[in-house]
């Protein structure tokens, strides 16, 4: 998934620019109609956006769905400091 502060349940369309654009379309080579997962670091939701349009310096994605999915570590580590 990708972090973006603009995603929310009320945001139906987002404009993907700059670092996220470079990563998605130049490194991962995502194409139109693919579904990308986003998070916003404010809530525990995982948002699914579908790529609608790709331009030279930005892309438009539409909110397809979202679900509440909390990120938990698989194992907890306890450290003890001794002198």
């Amino acid at each position: 998934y990708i972090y973006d502060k603009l995603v929310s349940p009320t945001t139906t369309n987002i404009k993907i620019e700059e670092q996220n654009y470079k990563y998605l379309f130049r490194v991962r080579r995502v194409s139109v109609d693919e579904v990308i997962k986003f998070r916003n670091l404010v809530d525990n939701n995982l948002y699914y956006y579908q790529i609608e349009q790709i331009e030279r310096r930005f892309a438009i994605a539409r909110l397809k769905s979202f679900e509440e999915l909390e990120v938990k570590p698989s194992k907890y580590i306890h450290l003890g400091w001794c002198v």
Side-chain angles (χ1 to χ4, degrees):
Y1 55 85
I2 308 276
Y3 292 119
D4 194 334
K5 62 184 177 183
L6 299 176
V7 298
S8 70
T10 59
T11 307
T12 56
N13 290 327
I14 60 170
K15 188 175 183 180
I16 303 168
E17 300 177 295
E18 300 174 7
Q19 292 292 63
N20 286 340
Y21 178 85
K22 287 178 186 176
Y23 174 70
L24 286 173
F25 301 104
R26 294 191 180 163
V27 176
R28 285 183 49 188
R29 302 207 182 259
V30 174
S31 61
V32 174
D33 292 333
E34 285 192 48
V35 176
I36 307 297
K37 299 173 188 173
F38 283 90
R39 283 193 182 269
N40 63 6
L41 298 179
V42 176
D43 54 21
N44 290 326
N45 292 336
L46 184 63
Y47 300 92
Y48 297 93
Y49 279 86
Q50 185 173 7
I51 304 299
E52 298 243 324
Q53 178 182 2
I54 301 173
E55 297 296 330
R56 185 170 182 209
R57 298 198 185 268
F58 68 91
I60 304 295
R62 181 179 47 88
L63 180 65
K64 189 169 184 180
S65 65
F66 67 94
E67 64 179 327
E68 186 171 343
L69 186 62
E70 188 174 343
V71 178
K72 293 182 182 179
S74 60
K75 295 182 181 179
Y76 292 97
I77 299 174
H78 298 283
L79 297 176
W81 290 86
C82 298
V83 178

